[in-house]
Structures are given as structure tokens and as C-alpha cells.
Amino acid sequence: MKAYYVEKKEEHPPFVHNLLRLALRAEISVDEDLKHRLVTISAFNINALYDDYKRSFQKTWTSKFTEDWIEVIKDLRIWILEQIKG
């Protein structure tokens, strides 16, 4: 997302890790589905950093959950790369 920001805005990206905020600042049209995906993926980073969040979040981690989100992230990565290439 930061690479997209740099490509489109021709400036350094903001020092944030919140993907939704990055997308909005990069002026990406964000529908509810994309918003949900970006917020959830950003939450993975927060949950991985803090033990309290990590313990509560681990309850939702199943093989199926992980596989599903890996595919979502792969698809989002491909979409972002396509946007950069224009």
C-alpha cells in the first residue's frame, strides 16, 4: 500500500501502518468489502505485537481462518501491484 501511495502521490508515505488510512490518503476508492479487509489485516499486525491482544486473537486462529486470509492478502497484493502498473 505504501508503494502505491508513493507511485500515485510522488511523495514519502505517511508513517502509519493502518492500511485503511493509507488507502484513503492515497485516494483509493474504498468500498465496504475493501474497508473490512484492510481493517482486519491491520488488526493482525496489532494483535501480533501485544500479548493481551495476541492471546484473545489466537482463539480465532484456525487452519481454515489462516488459509482464507492468506488468500485474501495474496489477492489484495496482486490488485495493488496492478494498480501501480496502471
Side-chain angles (χ1 to χ4, degrees), residues 29-45:
S29 177
V30 178
D31 63 15
E32 285 302 312
D33 183 54
L34 181 57
K35 179 180 178 180
H36 169 72
R37 291 173 185 209
L38 296 176
V39 167
T40 302
I41 294 166
S42 293
F44 295 158
N45 293 326

Side-chain angles (χ1 to χ4, degrees), residues 69-80:
W69 277 100
I70 286 172
E71 287 305 311
V72 167
I73 292 166
K74 284 180 180 177
D75 291 344
L76 184 58
R77 179 182 177 275
I78 290 167
W79 179 80
I80 291 169

Side-chain angles (χ1 to χ4, degrees), residues 20-31:
L20 178 58
R21 286 178 61 194
L22 283 169
L24 294 173
R25 288 186 175 184
E27 300 174 5
I28 294 174
S29 177
V30 178
D31 63 15

Side-chain angles (χ1 to χ4, degrees), residues 5-16:
Y5 182 95
V6 170
E7 178 70 22
K8 298 303 175 187
K9 303 292 265 181
E10 298 181 352
E11 62 187 37
H12 290 285
F15 293 106
V16 297

Side-chain angles (χ1 to χ4, degrees), residues 44 57-72 74:
F44 295 158
F57 191 64
Q58 284 175 338
K59 294 176 185 176
T60 62
W61 295 352
T62 64
S63 292
K64 175 78 169 120
F65 177 87
T66 303
E67 290 169 8
D68 289 348
W69 277 100
I70 286 172
E71 287 305 311
V72 167
K74 284 180 180 177

